[in-house]
Amino acid sequence: MKMINAQRDTLAGIRNKALLSLGYDFLARRSELVALRTTDLEFTKDGALKGMIRKSKTDQYGRGRLVFGSERSAKLLRAWFRKKPKEIELIHADKFTVDKNTPKGASKLVGSVKLRHQEAFMYCDSAYLYDNNSLDAYGHVKIEEGDSLVMTGDSLFYDGNKKLARVRGRVRIDNKASVLTTPFLDYYRETSMAHYYGGGTIDSEKEKTHLVSKIGYYFSDIKLFHFKTDVVMTHPDYVIHTDTMHYAPDREKTWFSGPTTIDSD
């Protein structure tokens, strides 16, 4: 109990509490605990749990061993499940393999790859799916999140624990009212915020505007852009130079702050 109580109330600490308690109840080795999957565990009606140790050092033929856990272990495990980040799901790939060139702790996915993490769907030509709940995706990358976001690019790194997408190459976000293009973009799904910092452009066919800035933010849930540093908006009737601009294309509204000049015919 001392080792369990000594763990901090962090994500890792909550996990460690559950594993320590299971190890004590199951009389399990570390390798046996690491090999456990959620499908090997079942909560019982009396508030405890039971599980299956499928293979161990003393069970080379994999006959398995039925084990039982205490109410304490069940409570700690439920607490971990509530806090544990949801894993990235593989929905489809033409080919699923591991070869000599595959990075350690990864599986190689090739052909019409489709993955899901919570409400977000990710598509690409090929990907590496890692054991630490992250992935690298290449070729015709696309992220869809409900009706609020459709993003494409050349490559993607996605961290499922942080809900962070780093999209590189010909990045494009089309929200129907305008189109954002940039070579570098980070998207934080937790806050629905996309951030580019290597220069970007926004084009609105409806408003006939072309906007350029060095730094930009896009809040996909409210469809609001925020631009900073060397912002220039060009329209057939005027050109605006400013330091900071807020832009809501679907509402056709623009706000400025900082030094601003408007040149018109």
Side-chain angles (χ1 to χ4, degrees), residues 9-234:
D9 287 329
T10 60
L11 189 61
I14 294 170
R15 176 203 61 198
N16 292 342
K17 287 180 183 181
L19 287 175
L20 286 168
S21 185
L22 287 175
Y24 179 82
D25 290 348
F26 293 172
L27 298 176
R29 295 180 174 87
R30 182 174 61 177
S31 59
E32 296 169 348
L33 289 174
V34 171
L36 280 174
R37 298 292 180 263
T38 54
T39 52
D40 297 330
L41 300 169
E42 181 182 344
F43 295 103
T44 57
K45 293 180 180 180
D46 59 359
L49 60 85
K50 62 181 179 180
M52 176 64 72
I53 303 294
R54 298 197 175 276
K55 193 172 182 180
S56 68
K57 188 176 181 181
T58 57
D59 180 21
Q60 295 298 313
Y61 295 101
R63 295 188 180 92
R65 175 167 62 94
L66 185 63
V67 289
F68 297 90
S70 62
E71 289 186 31
R72 177 196 64 215
S73 290
K75 289 179 181 178
L76 291 171
L77 195 61
R78 288 185 188 276
W80 161 236
F81 285 165
R82 287 195 296 268
K83 294 286 186 179
K84 179 186 176 184
K86 189 173 181 181
E87 293 181 355
I88 298 169
E89 302 174 56
L90 171 61
I91 296 176
H92 176 82
D94 292 342
K95 187 177 180 181
F96 181 94
T97 186
V98 175
D99 56 35
K100 63 180 181 180
N101 297 318
T102 304
K104 186 177 180 181
S107 298
K108 187 176 181 180
L109 313 174
V110 180
S112 302
V113 180
K114 182 178 180 180
L115 305 116
R116 178 181 180 178
H117 188 239
Q118 297 173 318
E119 300 84 14
F121 289 88
M122 290 164 275
Y123 307 82
C124 63
D125 293 336
S126 63
Y128 289 116
L129 182 59
Y130 299 99
D131 292 344
N132 63 358
N133 205 29
S134 67
L135 64 89
D136 282 306
Y138 307 96
H140 298 95
V141 170
K142 181 167 72 170
I143 301 175
E144 292 181 348
E145 192 169 31
D147 296 328
S148 62
L149 180 75
V150 177
M151 182 190 310
T152 59
D154 293 331
S155 66
L156 160 71
F157 169 75
Y158 182 74
D159 186 329
N161 298 326
K162 296 180 180 178
K163 299 183 184 180
L164 169 62
R166 299 188 187 277
V167 189
R168 300 294 183 263
R170 294 165 294 180
V171 185
R172 176 186 172 100
I173 296 178
D174 187 345
N175 69 1
K176 299 179 181 178
S178 61
V179 177
L180 161 67
T181 56
T182 180
F184 306 99
L185 187 137
D186 295 344
Y187 179 56
Y188 301 84
R189 291 190 53 239
E190 193 70 45
T191 55
S192 300
M193 183 193 76
H195 171 216
Y196 69 81
Y197 42 86
T201 63
I202 307 290
D203 289 284
S204 173
E205 185 175 343
K206 181 180 179 180
E207 295 189 50
K208 299 179 181 179
T209 57
H210 174 76
L211 187 145
V212 180
S213 72
K214 288 186 177 179
I215 300 171
Y217 301 85
Y218 175 59
F219 300 90
S220 62
D221 54 345
I222 57 176
K223 292 182 170 56
L224 176 68
F225 290 97
H226 174 69
F227 305 106
K228 286 185 65 66
T229 312
D230 298 336
V231 183
V232 180
M233 175 183 275
T234 304

